[in-house]
Amino acid sequence: MNELVHSGKETLYPKDFVNTYDSSDELVTMFKKGVVDNKGRPRMSDSEVKYIFNFMMHHLHKSDTFVIETKNIYYACNSCQREFLMFEEFLKARGKTVKFIIHSDEGILGGDDFYKLLIKK
């Protein structure tokens, strides 16, 4: 599976990226309301959260064992790392296993760091 997911509004790049929340049914609404960080801030626009939701909706039924490899521009923040751990527990509770392989640059924590990297090149 080679799917692109980005953080931010779904209306950005509609032809190139997965439209994760492509409906406003009850499940989508409930999921989006429940995704918050440790401080209670909404995180439903994070790329990792969108990826997890899309995976649950379209791929969870395909196997009992998964290897999920991602390439991220930014280093996964604590909130997103927590989402992956929660997803792993969710899968374990259903008798499934997952191995995450995450490629990212630990030095890129946000837009400023990314911009500085681009300027160097």
Side-chain angles (χ1 to χ4, degrees):
M1 160 177 103
N2 190 14
E3 298 175 332
L4 296 174
V5 179
H6 68 83
S7 61
K9 295 184 179 186
E10 289 295 309
T11 54
L12 300 173
Y13 318 108
K15 294 179 183 174
D16 300 316
F17 290 83
V18 172
N19 185 0
T20 308
Y21 307 125
D22 59 359
S23 71
S24 59
D25 67 20
E26 187 176 344
L27 178 62
V28 171
T29 303
M30 183 173 53
F31 182 83
K32 287 169 74 172
K33 283 183 181 177
V35 180
V36 294
D37 66 13
N38 292 333
K39 296 181 180 179
R41 296 174 295 201
R43 303 307 301 185
M44 70 275 203
S45 294
D46 289 352
S47 57
E48 291 84 354
V49 171
K50 290 179 179 183
Y51 179 86
I52 289 169
F53 185 78
N54 182 68
F55 188 90
M56 288 173 27
M57 296 300 293
H58 302 287
H59 305 290
L60 189 63
H61 66 281
K62 295 179 179 178
S63 182
D64 289 330
T65 303
F66 302 97
V67 175
I68 296 175
E69 184 170 7
T70 69
K71 295 178 184 175
N72 301 7
I73 293 172
Y74 299 126
Y75 181 68
C77 65
N78 290 338
S79 177
C80 293
Q81 291 176 26
R82 183 180 131 238
E83 297 298 336
F84 280 132
L85 291 172
M86 291 170 57
F87 184 48
E88 183 176 15
E89 291 301 315
F90 172 84
L91 292 173
K92 282 182 187 176
R94 282 148 185 80
K96 298 177 182 279
T97 59
V98 63
K99 175 182 178 184
F100 292 105
I101 302 169
I102 301 172
H103 303 277
S104 65
D105 185 331
E106 292 184 21
I108 302 177
L109 301 176
D112 288 342
D113 295 324
F114 183 59
Y115 180 74
K116 288 174 189 173
L117 180 70
L118 289 177
I119 296 301
K120 286 181 182 179
K121 292 184 178 193

